[in-house]
Amino acid sequence: MSDASARQKLLIVERKLVHNRGHHHTQIAALRRYFPHHETIIVAGEAYDGFLGAAAGKLTNRSIKLAKLRSRLLYGNAFEQMAAVFGVLKAKHSLKLPRSAFGKQLADICRSLSVGANDLIVIPTADLDTLESAVELSTVLADETPRICLRFLNSELGDRNEKVRSRRLSAILAKLPANVFLFSETEELAAYFQASFGMPVEGGFYLPCSMPVAIPPRYKTDDSGSFRVGIFGEPRPEKGSARIADIVAAVAELAESGSVGALDFVIQGSMADFSEGGVYGDLQRFNGSGRNITVSPQGNRISPQEFEQLFQSTDAILLPYEAAIYGLQGSGVVQDAVAAYKPIIYAQGMSMKAFLSFGNALPATTNQDFAAAILRIAADPSRFQPGTERAAGYFQDVLLNNPILRVLDTPMHDR
């Protein structure tokens, strides 16, 4: 198949792809590496800025809103149905809503690009709107429908209304086409879907994030002499961001009673986050306090290259995440830390347990637990080196055996 026109096509649908922030753009690069001989086509969000090249289509926020209104009309209680009617009227749309958020639009895109049964569609950040759209796409294209792979990242599936979510999901699963393959990132999330809904979801669909798995490991890029603790990503409640100041204070208190070297907390956030009243505002008091603890604010809008260099400059990664949220869904920062051979201090009960069980990570619950774990690693980082090497080797094996690679070899009659 040397003729470019005969190449199989990979259509990546990522409505959250807007710019080079977060992990959505890294998913595109990872999928291209998995399918190097496919022609890659992107469908992005309506605000996509084109930094990865032109998109074959852009999915509008309006279509997502209409899909939500439809779900309330079909599966909501009387109050929710009435509110949906008013919502439809306000949106200046007829009560005959589209069957899905963007199934028809994807069908039009597939036809215009000659994407057919021998090709592949991957939706790396999937939810109920996506699943409904995949079902409609299969109905419209019939025998010309490509294999469609959806990757779910959390249990909410884009709909916080538990009753509506359950009813929507049951209705979709009752007519799930054979060409639609369901995956999740973590094994924990797959087990939850299987147990709760009988949903045919396979776990282990990981995509490398910002840090490549480098074997042998690269060395730390910072030579300041401080033990650097990294806290990455925009601050959010479920990431335990509001606890960071108290954890740093607990470290300072414990450090006073022992011989501890210099510690530097490298934290991403906006200027407002570090200002008075911001989530990290209380951290200002540690700089210039005469203690061995400093805080290094880092911008949350840095380039991928700057992020990689910053990440490599750290000695350990702190993740005081809410286990109620992250007990099922995965964390890109865990992947980055494992790929970069960094010890991890994480919240007890987090998912991705297989990534955290090689002697490369310490669990914690209270702020004092987190502080003690940080100081334990800082006291002798070399003790954790063998564990980080084993974890990175495991991650490489996970990527080499990604379940999506088996999809193209699966005959439809075997489903």
Side-chain angles (χ1 to χ4, degrees):
M1 293 198 298
S2 58
D3 182 3
S5 63
R7 290 172 65 195
Q8 287 177 289
K9 298 178 178 66
L10 169 64
L11 183 65
I12 303 174
V13 181
E14 182 52 271
R15 69 180 183 85
K16 293 187 178 181
L17 179 66
V18 176
H19 43 53
N20 65 343
R21 309 282 180 241
H23 295 302
H24 297 106
H25 69 285
T26 68
Q27 296 172 347
I28 309 297
L31 288 168
R32 281 174 168 160
R33 287 194 293 270
Y34 278 127
F35 300 101
H37 303 299
H38 282 63
E39 176 191 352
T40 304
I41 303 164
I42 297 173
V43 174
E46 65 179 357
Y48 172 61
D49 63 11
F51 75 102
L52 290 177
K58 294 184 179 181
L59 305 178
T60 66
N61 293 331
R62 175 179 169 83
S63 69
I64 305 299
K65 181 178 180 179
L66 291 176
K68 183 175 181 179
L69 291 173
R70 179 178 181 272
S71 73
R72 271 40 182 181
L73 283 172
L74 287 176
Y75 309 112
N77 57 35
F79 176 78
E80 290 163 339
Q81 290 173 335
M82 185 64 67
V85 170
F86 285 115
V88 171
L89 295 175
K90 186 178 179 180
K92 298 181 180 179
H93 198 283
S94 72
L95 285 176
K96 188 178 181 181
L97 294 167
R99 290 167 58 187
S100 72
F102 44 82
K104 178 66 167 59
Q105 183 181 354
L106 281 184
D108 293 340
I109 291 171
C110 287
R111 284 169 172 161
S112 68
L113 298 170
S114 299
V115 173
N118 293 323
D119 300 311
L120 180 65
I121 296 175
V122 179
I123 308 179
T125 310
D127 55 20
L128 280 176
D129 292 329
T130 311
L131 189 52
E132 285 177 339
S133 298
V135 171
E136 183 181 21
L137 173 65
S138 299
T139 302
V140 174
L141 294 184
D143 292 342
E144 288 304 309
T145 308
R147 287 170 169 80
I148 307 171
C149 298
L150 283 72
R151 185 176 77 138
F152 302 111
L153 300 182
N154 61 61
S155 60
E156 280 194 347
L157 297 176
D159 196 329
R160 294 185 175 181
N161 186 315
E162 187 175 352
K163 288 185 178 179
V164 171
R165 179 171 68 241
S166 180
R167 291 167 184 163
R168 284 180 77 184
L169 186 54
S170 296
I172 297 168
L173 293 177
K175 52 187 177 183
L176 187 70
N179 63 294
V180 176
F181 297 79
L182 308 182
F183 299 94
S184 67
E185 188 175 44
T186 71
E187 300 289 353
E188 290 91 344
L189 185 58
Y192 165 78
F193 282 135
Q194 291 161 6
S196 301
F197 305 102
M199 198 170 168
V201 179
E202 184 173 359
F205 186 173
Y206 288 96
L207 295 172
C209 295
S210 300
M211 304 300 294
V213 181
I215 296 179
R218 282 184 259 175
Y219 294 101
K220 180 184 175 185
T221 58
D222 178 76
D223 58 359
S224 65
S226 297
F227 182 86
R228 306 191 92 200
V229 179
I231 300 157
F232 292 99
E234 294 190 29
R236 295 204 299 267
E238 65 270 24
K239 289 189 172 185
S241 303
R243 299 179 63 183
I244 297 299
D246 289 335
I247 291 173
V248 175
V251 171
E253 185 175 345
L254 284 176
E256 287 180 355
S257 60
S259 56
V260 179
L263 291 108
D264 183 24
F265 288 84
V266 179
I267 306 175
Q268 273 193 300
S270 66
M271 289 183 63
D273 294 326
F274 290 97
S275 300
E276 186 176 351
V279 65
Y280 297 138
D282 287 345
L283 291 168
Q284 294 177 344
R285 61 192 172 96
F286 292 100
N287 290 334
S289 65
R291 294 175 170 176
N292 283 352
I293 293 176
T294 56
V295 173
S296 297
Q298 306 292 328
N300 57 2
R301 294 187 175 275
I302 60 178
S303 71
Q305 294 76 22
E306 290 171 321
F307 179 87
E308 185 173 342
Q309 184 174 9
L310 181 64
F311 205 98
Q312 289 288 5
S313 76
T314 64
D315 296 282
I317 304 300
L318 178 62
L319 301 172
Y321 290 5
E322 290 291 336
I325 302 294
Y326 283 92
L328 294 176
Q329 72 182 51
S331 164
V333 182
V334 169
Q335 291 189 61
D336 284 338
V338 170
Y341 296 76
K342 306 296 182 183
I344 303 167
I345 304 102
Y346 68 96
Q348 181 78 51
M350 279 182 62
S351 68
M352 299 178 69
K353 292 180 180 63
F355 285 74
L356 302 166
S357 58
F358 292 94
N360 62 313
L362 294 176
T365 303
T366 67
N367 295 336
Q368 288 70 30
D369 292 340
F370 279 102
I374 291 169
L375 293 179
R376 180 179 168 189
I377 297 175
D380 187 5
S382 63
R383 286 180 55 197
F384 294 83
Q385 182 178 340
T388 61
E389 292 176 358
R390 288 191 295 267
Y394 170 79
F395 190 18
Q396 188 177 56
D397 289 342
V398 167
L399 296 178
L400 289 174
N401 295 288
N402 195 313
I404 194 177
L405 296 174
R406 299 193 294 271
V407 167
L408 293 180
D409 298 326
T410 305
M412 288 298 99
H413 59 76
D414 286 354
R415 289 294 309 282

